[in-house]
Amino acid sequence: QFFGSQRVSAQVQNPATFSTDLLNLVLPTPYQLIAPAAATHASQDFSGFYHEATAYLGAPLLILLVVATVVLWSDARIRVASITGAVILVLSLGPWLHIGTKALPVPLPWLALGKLPLLKHVLSGRFTVFVWLAVAVVIAVVIARARHLAPRPAATWLLAVGMSLVLLIPAPLPRAPFATPAFFRNWSSHHIASNETVLVAPYFVNGGEAAPMVWAAEAGYGLRM
């Protein structure tokens, strides 16, 4: 998806660079509303592309998840969600442990799994999407349990959930005017069939745009690029 610069191109060629950085668990990226400059300065230098850094849980939520797992371990839903989430999180770290800008010589389970057929091209860092499913289950169970507690302990649990989730509020995405060039409003008029594969060059102007995809989408044309 990213071909804009030498750094990004290198990351595409090496799926290991899309591993989750361990610091991303506690350091927000610029995509969080509450993101101190010192934290985002560090997160933008993660060994992987920071746009793919989706593992930010924040220290309060991490503590809440651990406490909830210990206190509610008898609940099968908690056991399944916490174990599954932890396993997927470890796999998302990739073949080698990444902390900040450094890849440490610490082998991880994905080093072996990533060499298997069908898995060698998987970007392990994207497993964090499924970690969030596990987190959602734990939080849902906590809220459901709190509803049946006395007011004071219920308020304690719900306040902890609220404080944890506030740190995860996303920042507003930037917006800019966009117009499809006249040439690309009707692909078929240029004798380009919908089942063809097309190379649009230069594909990216600054490494962050996917304009040709939008042009095809607006024209309702399903060609491959």
Side-chain angles (χ1 to χ4, degrees), residues 10-21:
Q11 290 169 344
V12 172
Q13 295 168 9
N14 182 9
T17 60
F18 276 103
S19 303
T20 294
D21 194 295

Side-chain angles (χ1 to χ4, degrees), residues 94-132:
W96 303 96
L97 182 63
H98 287 73
I99 299 182
T101 59
K102 298 180 180 180
L104 303 180
V106 179
L108 298 173
W110 192 252
L111 181 62
L113 294 176
K115 297 178 181 178
L116 297 176
L118 302 181
L119 294 181
K120 61 182 179 180
H121 297 301
V122 170
L123 302 181
S124 58
R126 294 180 179 174
F127 288 162
T128 52
V129 174
F130 303 102
V131 173
W132 278 104

Side-chain angles (χ1 to χ4, degrees), residues 40-195:
T40 56
H41 179 74
S43 62
Q44 288 182 348
D45 289 331
F46 282 161
S47 51
F49 199 36
Y50 83 90
H51 293 291
E52 296 279 343
T54 57
Y56 176 62
L57 297 174
L61 181 56
L62 282 172
I63 295 173
L64 175 61
L65 292 173
V66 172
V67 172
T69 298
V70 173
V71 174
L72 304 176
W73 184 253
S74 59
D75 191 315
R77 297 168 298 179
I78 293 291
R79 293 198 301 272
V80 172
S82 59
I83 293 174
T84 302
V87 170
I88 296 177
L89 179 60
V90 171
L91 294 179
S92 77
L93 296 176
W96 303 96
L97 182 63
H98 287 73
I99 299 182
T101 59
K102 298 180 180 180
L104 303 180
V106 179
L108 298 173
W110 192 252
L111 181 62
L113 294 176
K115 297 178 181 178
L116 297 176
L118 302 181
L119 294 181
K120 61 182 179 180
H121 297 301
V122 170
L123 302 181
S124 58
R126 294 180 179 174
F127 288 162
T128 52
V129 174
F130 303 102
V131 173
W132 278 104
L133 291 177
V135 171
V137 171
V138 174
I139 294 300
V141 173
V142 168
I143 294 175
R145 290 269 186 151
R147 294 174 55 196
H148 301 289
L149 298 176
R152 180 169 294 181
T156 300
W157 280 105
L158 295 177
L159 181 62
V161 170
M163 293 178 62
S164 301
L165 298 183
V166 162
L167 296 179
L168 305 178
I169 297 176
L173 293 177
R175 296 180 296 175
F178 185 88
T180 297
F183 182 90
F184 295 105
R185 292 174 189 164
N186 189 349
W187 295 78
S188 59
S189 66
H190 307 297
H191 307 290
I192 300 175
S194 60
N195 61 349

